[in-house]
Amino acid sequence: MLLGRQREIAHIEDLLNGATEGTSAAVLLHGEAGIGKSSLLKAAIDAASARDLGVLRTRGYESESDIPFAGLLELLTPLLPLRDRIPEVQARALGSALALEAPTPFDRFAVPAGMLSLLAAAAEERPYLVVADDVHWLDDASREALSFVARRLGAEGVVLVFAARPVDEVLAAFEGIESRAVAPLADADAAALLRREAPSHVSEKVAADLLASAHGNPLALTEIPRGLSPDQLAGREPLAGPLQAGDRIEDAFARQLADLPAATREALLIAAAMQTGRHDIYLKALELRGVPKSALDAAVSAQMIALDGRVEFFHPLLRSAVYHAADPIQRRSVHATLAELADTVATPGRRAWHLAAAADAPDEQVAEALEEAAAEARSRGGILAAARAYERAANLSTDDAARARRLLEAASDYAQANQADHALALVGAAQELVPADSAPTTEVVRVRGRVEMRRGAPVVAHDLLVAEAERIAAEDPGNAAWLLLEAAGAHMMTGDMEALIRTGDRARALLAGGLNPPMEVLAGVLVGEAHAALGHEAEADALLDPAMPLLTGEYVLALPSELVAMAGQCGIWYERWDRATAVLDHLVATARQASAINHLIFPLVSQSIMDYRQGRWANALADAGEAARLARETALRPLLTFALAVLAHAEAGMGRRDDARAHAREALHLAEELDGTSVAIYALNALAFDALGAGEIESAVELYDRAFRSATKLRMQRGLIQFGADRVEALARAGRTDAAFQALEEFADTPGGGHWASAALARCRGILADRTAEHHFITALSHHERDGQPFERARTQLAYGERLRRDRRRADAREQLTQALDTFERLSATPWADRTRVEMRATGGAAAEGGAAEREAVAAAGLEELTAHELQIARLVAYGDTNRQVAAKLFLSPKTIEYHLSQIYRKLDLRSRTQLASLMAQEMGSSKTAA
């Protein structure tokens, strides 16, 4: 019976009861060593077994933290027979990551998605409890998979319970998941535990001292008394000095070990040094070292270790005490033995790490084994494990050139794993080993450039890469061109598109003549996107159109997803809808099919922008919402910033003010943290658009002016973020006519934007004009015929109707206002529809309360009640996908889709998929991206 843990146990039992009813949940228990986390997990397992739940478990081991997916292999092994019931691409990713088959390329998040699908498949038969102990020692890949699954569980009947020490890295990884600190025991419970577990009578004075030193730590209360004699416990003999819980726990374990026979201590050391608890390997190790099986009997009797198909220590601190108390020479000898027994097929890195632990000096053969293990880990998605293996291989290298090469490999992986500062230190160490002007110098510069970009220093990276490219251009133009392309990528971060063009064109010149055609095409794409950002539409088309076979080809996922999606987004800026649709549809569909979340988020945001402009606002909200959710759950903060800003703009247009402002402000905060000036403009635009729609004109003016100043510095073309016309309107409505005319001139002087820009300019001139207003509005409407942006056309009709009403042409005003209202209501543009109705009432027309579009909107009013997540599910179901197909595309379980679908039906008062498809048809348009 656990003392003092009634609240925690009651909460876990509530979660388990929910699982039996089909509800999923996750909780992280964190606290200091010995505080009772493992005991709570055992209580959870017992409670789950009593309810006939399936139980899956894993545990992190310090010695195993560099073996990618080791924790996941232990957890999922019982479910592997179900792999044929999950999407094939996820099954392949799991097989590759868990070393069940040869490595194949897969997206970083395909394995977590596969884990979720596997758990969901198992839960179709019975609810499950999943426990993971010592999560702070789990390998990074397994920990990432657990946190991903914990965030995406819904209605499967799966409960995840994790236990970890309060390590910042772990708490950050599980941010957003329920977290409970396991507190010290209350005094009364601590006293009861002490008296229950003490091996003999404890005097009041000694009990008080022990309770004061243990600070409510159950392990201390249990183990410290075991290291004391009956006379010390009874107070007849003094205690040896002040009692410190941490030291005393280790002392208690050390005393227990000292009393054991030498053979037993060696048997325990073998168990402590193992990177797996497999009993069969353990028995072979005992045999090789001449240790009898009976040597463990004393440790089992003392409840230090348990043998139940696996070798398990009573507590991780005991394992650590055994390992570190042993003679270093004996430890190395044990690791050498375990290296002979390592299963190099199931876990290729184990032999290498045992060899490394056995080495007491640089050893090139061991370094080579670690390098092979690093390459294997990298091929299976264990980037951080690969980095550590490369770094250890470098330390064991006997040759400076090999050491430098391995340090650079480690630095590349550390940078990719967001440990850029450590990566930079390794690059510096490698540079000291490389002779000046030698061939490896280029690789040093290349890796340092990548690291500097990861550290948020793109200008430093650019200067380094360009200087090295110019140094080797004559003798190695291909390599120089690649360096220049990486340098040009730095300008994507700074927003200096003219500099990007100069650097990219230099790379293209080096590649001219067929040196590397695919690289030349990619260079053209990069430069074309920069031209598009500056409003050079002809130059952009000349470079992007020839690249379409590559951008929509079979191997699109081998290309940088942002580069590909940006090519589609460029088409949005100046209404090349054909290119935008082809590129984004293909990329999104391919990424979904491959469970490639890394490649999905950015194009979903781009798709949202296109759907918004083309009048598919429900789609826009759904795509941006999914992108933001995926980015948050995968901790991809730059992509989260972009997704939130675009989501906020869609929400502002639909009058979801609380959500819009919260998401825009979060995006602005993240953009400032990440120095993302261009994304900050998206967030400012969303806040300003929300204020404009709500009639908070002064606030809108201030925000639009901030956006304008930032955009001017970056020389953004006016179609990139469409705020120029809104800024003019806000100033005009604020009565600041002179400033409005100045803003109009600034808008007119900015290039780009296609037919929309011509229409918006004419609308602004109509708003500010006197006698020629009608001419400008008619001109604007003629341009809208070709821009494909219904909301912008309705904005012009609203402004035109307002002017006609002020000119007392009420019938003509009602005609324009009625058309505007029809569009606003179809889009669910609530603030704009409300403003239009007010204007129509001023004309005295009865149509203000009963337009055809309004009647349609009433029928579909429930759509406004759906969240972005529900809209995405409704949209996919409307395409005709089954629940299982929707689940695969959204990286959820079929039961979660079923749950959300029932909520959608309730909110919309529908009873069938057919009714839902009919209702969604007007919002879906012709886009098939989600299919």
Side-chain angles (χ1 to χ4, degrees):
M1 173 184 173
L2 288 181
L3 292 169
R5 300 302 183 201
Q6 290 83 1
R7 181 182 302 177
E8 291 89 345
I9 291 174
H11 181 61
I12 290 172
E13 289 185 339
D14 284 345
L15 299 183
L16 295 175
N17 290 336
T20 62
E21 297 171 2
T23 300
S24 295
V27 62
L28 171 68
L29 306 174
H30 60 86
E32 64 182 19
I35 202 67
K37 305 181 296 296
S38 298
S39 297
L40 284 170
L41 292 188
K42 184 178 185 307
I45 292 171
D46 291 344
S49 299
R51 291 166 172 77
D52 198 30
L53 269 68
V55 176
L56 301 168
R57 66 185 81 179
T58 189
R59 184 175 208 150
Y61 296 101
E62 189 174 10
S63 59
E64 210 167 46
S65 60
D66 291 317
I67 309 297
F69 297 108
L72 212 61
L73 177 63
E74 180 180 2
L75 183 75
L76 296 181
T77 293
L79 303 186
L80 292 177
L82 303 179
R83 272 203 302 159
D84 60 351
R85 291 169 55 181
I86 69 175
E88 183 181 354
V89 66
Q90 295 175 9
R92 286 201 309 269
L94 279 173
S96 181
L98 302 182
L100 304 174
E101 53 198 52
T104 56
F106 58 85
D107 182 80
R108 170 184 168 190
F109 292 103
V111 172
M115 176 185 173
L116 174 62
S117 296
L118 205 58
L119 285 173
E124 290 179 0
E125 305 298 329
R126 65 194 294 205
Y128 266 86
L129 168 68
V130 177
V131 296
D133 203 356
D134 292 325
V135 171
H136 52 282
W137 280 334
L138 271 181
D139 62 277
D140 298 273
S142 295
R143 191 162 62 218
E144 180 178 75
L146 287 173
S147 64
F148 177 91
V149 170
R151 291 184 178 96
R152 298 193 75 79
L153 286 170
E156 303 80 4
V158 175
V159 172
L160 306 181
V161 184
F162 310 127
R165 294 181 192 170
V167 179
D168 289 344
E169 179 185 356
V170 174
L171 297 180
F174 287 85
E175 185 177 0
I177 296 166
E178 183 188 359
S179 177
R180 289 189 167 222
V182 182
L185 292 177
D187 291 346
D189 292 316
L193 178 64
L194 172 63
R195 297 191 181 283
R196 189 181 76 183
E197 298 297 325
S200 61
H201 172 71
V202 183
S203 73
E204 293 296 331
K205 175 65 170 62
V206 173
D209 288 344
L210 290 172
L211 290 171
S213 67
H215 299 293
N217 185 296
L219 184 64
L221 290 165
T222 302
E223 295 302 322
I224 291 176
R226 292 181 182 177
L228 302 177
S229 69
D231 286 342
Q232 285 177 314
L233 288 172
R236 294 186 294 270
E237 193 176 296
L239 302 177
L243 293 169
Q244 298 296 325
D247 294 338
R248 286 292 177 165
I249 292 174
E250 293 183 9
D251 288 347
F253 285 146
R255 289 184 185 183
Q256 292 179 60
L257 292 171
D259 293 338
L260 296 174
T264 301
R265 291 199 301 273
E266 182 171 2
L268 288 172
L269 174 61
I270 295 169
M274 286 178 63
Q275 291 177 324
T276 175
R278 281 178 50 185
H279 196 200
D280 57 336
I281 294 178
Y282 181 66
L283 293 178
K284 288 180 182 177
L286 291 177
E287 182 180 351
L288 277 179
R289 297 192 62 81
V291 178
K293 297 178 186 178
S294 60
L296 267 185
D297 292 346
V300 172
S301 298
Q303 296 184 335
M304 291 177 143
I305 203 166
L307 302 177
D308 184 18
R310 297 178 57 81
V311 185
E312 294 286 355
F313 279 89
F314 160 69
H315 194 276
L317 286 179
L318 176 58
R319 182 190 186 112
S320 179
V322 168
Y323 187 80
H324 293 291
D327 178 78
I329 295 175
Q330 188 183 23
R331 280 203 306 263
R332 289 195 293 270
S333 175
V334 166
H335 279 294
T337 300
L338 292 172
E340 296 180 40
L341 297 173
D343 185 346
T344 57
V345 176
T347 47
R350 283 195 171 123
R351 176 178 176 274
W353 280 107
H354 279 306
L355 289 174
D360 60 353
D363 186 318
E364 189 59 29
Q365 287 186 328
V366 178
E368 289 175 359
L370 274 170
E371 187 171 14
E372 291 176 8
E376 181 78 13
R378 185 187 281 173
S379 72
R380 297 188 187 280
I383 297 300
L384 197 50
R388 291 172 181 148
Y390 277 122
E391 184 177 10
R392 181 70 174 122
N395 293 336
L396 290 171
S397 301
T398 57
D399 173 74
D400 282 353
R403 181 178 289 110
R405 174 173 52 78
R406 289 161 181 160
L407 285 171
L408 291 175
E409 293 286 0
S412 293
D413 286 341
Y414 274 123
Q416 191 174 340
N418 296 320
Q419 296 190 18
D421 289 340
H422 186 55
L424 188 61
L426 296 186
V427 173
Q431 194 162 11
E432 293 178 2
L433 299 170
V434 175
D437 297 327
S438 66
T441 298
T442 298
E443 191 59 24
V444 171
V445 173
R446 188 195 316 278
V447 175
R448 186 178 173 195
R450 292 172 180 170
V451 172
E452 293 288 4
M453 286 196 203
R454 291 276 183 172
R455 291 180 70 239
V459 175
V460 174
H462 171 270
D463 293 347
L464 285 168
L465 294 167
V466 169
E468 182 65 14
E470 295 300 342
R471 186 182 75 81
I472 67 171
E475 61 187 42
D476 192 355
N479 205 3
W482 190 249
L483 289 172
L484 288 169
L485 288 180
E486 294 203 44
H491 295 307
M492 280 289 186
M493 298 174 67
T494 64
D496 190 345
M497 295 296 104
E498 291 185 331
L500 191 157
I501 290 170
R502 289 193 298 272
T503 305
D505 279 343
R506 173 71 172 125
R508 293 174 63 221
L510 289 172
L511 293 167
L515 181 65
N516 189 327
M519 191 189 302
E520 187 175 359
V521 172
L522 280 179
V525 170
L526 191 62
V527 174
E529 290 170 355
H531 278 298
L534 292 170
H536 308 158
E537 296 173 8
E539 293 88 339
D541 283 342
L543 291 167
L544 294 174
D545 284 343
M548 285 298 289
L550 180 68
L551 299 174
T552 58
E554 181 180 357
Y555 302 105
V556 66
L557 296 186
L559 307 174
S561 58
E562 287 86 351
L563 188 69
V564 177
M566 191 66 76
Q569 197 167 323
C570 290
I572 299 171
W573 298 339
Y574 52 96
E575 298 148 13
R576 279 294 306 272
W577 307 118
D578 54 344
R579 182 201 299 142
T581 300
V583 170
L584 295 174
D585 279 9
H586 178 69
L587 182 54
V588 169
T590 305
R592 286 201 193 280
Q593 186 177 12
S595 291
I597 295 175
N598 265 330
H599 290 265
L600 181 62
I601 298 172
F602 192 94
L604 275 175
V605 181
S606 300
Q607 184 73 57
S608 174
I609 295 171
M610 182 169 69
D611 280 335
Y612 182 89
R613 294 192 185 185
Q614 290 195 297
R616 296 185 293 268
W617 281 20
N619 287 2
L621 192 71
D623 282 336
E626 183 187 359
R629 189 166 184 242
L630 288 172
R632 194 184 299 280
E633 291 167 353
T634 53
L636 298 173
R637 295 176 75 218
L639 292 178
L640 174 61
T641 309
F642 186 32
L644 286 171
V646 172
L647 174 62
H649 192 267
E651 290 166 334
M654 302 174 80
R656 302 185 180 202
R657 296 203 68 197
D658 291 344
D659 290 339
R661 285 178 292 181
H663 291 144
R665 287 166 182 160
E666 183 182 358
L668 192 58
H669 174 70
L670 287 171
E672 290 168 351
E673 278 190 352
L674 300 171
D675 196 24
T677 305
S678 59
V679 180
I681 300 171
Y682 279 95
L684 287 170
N685 179 46
L687 287 169
F689 185 54
D690 169 74
L692 182 65
E696 298 170 0
I697 304 304
E698 290 299 333
S699 177
V701 167
E702 188 272 331
L703 290 162
Y704 279 130
D705 281 346
R706 285 175 61 187
F708 170 73
R709 289 192 295 271
S710 295
T712 300
K713 290 178 183 178
L714 297 179
R715 299 194 62 182
M716 280 185 175
Q717 69 119 305
R718 57 196 174 194
L720 201 153
I721 306 176
Q722 295 177 325
F723 67 84
D726 292 350
R727 178 170 173 249
V728 174
E729 180 181 330
L731 286 164
R733 289 176 63 185
R736 296 164 57 179
T737 306
D738 291 344
F741 274 109
Q742 177 64 34
L744 176 60
E745 290 182 16
E746 291 162 345
F747 183 37
D749 289 343
T750 306
H755 297 294
W756 164 81
S758 299
L761 273 171
R763 179 172 78 226
C764 290
R765 291 186 178 116
I767 290 171
L768 295 174
D770 187 7
R771 297 180 181 178
T772 59
E774 184 165 20
H775 165 73
H776 292 304
F777 285 124
I778 292 172
T779 300
L781 289 171
S782 69
H783 287 296
H784 282 309
E785 293 295 331
R786 291 173 288 172
D787 70 7
Q789 301 188 48
F791 177 68
E792 290 298 315
R793 176 184 176 87
R795 293 276 301 278
T796 295
Q797 290 168 329
L798 170 58
Y800 188 15
E802 288 173 333
R803 172 52 67 93
L804 290 169
R805 199 243 338 141
R806 289 197 300 273
D807 290 343
R808 300 181 183 279
R809 295 171 56 184
R810 295 183 175 181
D812 293 336
R814 281 197 295 274
E815 180 182 352
Q816 296 298 324
L817 293 171
T818 298
Q819 293 180 44
L821 183 60
D822 283 351
T823 300
F824 291 145
E825 287 176 334
R826 180 178 62 79
L827 297 176
S828 298
T830 304
W832 301 91
D834 290 345
R835 178 176 157 189
T836 307
R837 290 192 193 95
V838 170
E839 194 66 26
M840 288 184 72
R841 292 189 192 102
T843 69
E849 302 298 335
E854 184 175 1
R855 288 190 296 272
E856 277 187 29
V858 170
L863 289 181
E864 297 181 7
E865 300 299 319
L866 299 186
T867 65
H869 189 47
E870 289 168 341
L871 278 169
Q872 190 70 302
I873 292 171
R875 176 185 176 194
L876 288 167
V877 169
Y879 282 126
D881 286 350
T882 65
N883 288 2
R884 194 169 293 278
Q885 289 170 327
V886 175
K889 290 178 179 178
L890 297 185
F891 316 107
L892 296 168
S893 73
K895 286 187 177 179
T896 295
I897 298 300
E898 182 181 342
Y899 168 78
H900 283 298
L901 197 54
S902 68
Q903 297 297 103
I904 291 167
Y905 286 158
R906 180 184 60 78
K907 288 182 179 182
L908 301 181
D909 193 23
L910 300 176
R911 291 177 176 79
S912 70
R913 301 170 88 92
T914 302
Q915 288 179 313
L916 179 62
S918 176
L919 185 59
M920 290 295 295
Q922 60 179 318
E923 295 293 347
M924 286 165 40
S926 59
S927 174
K928 294 293 181 184
T929 305

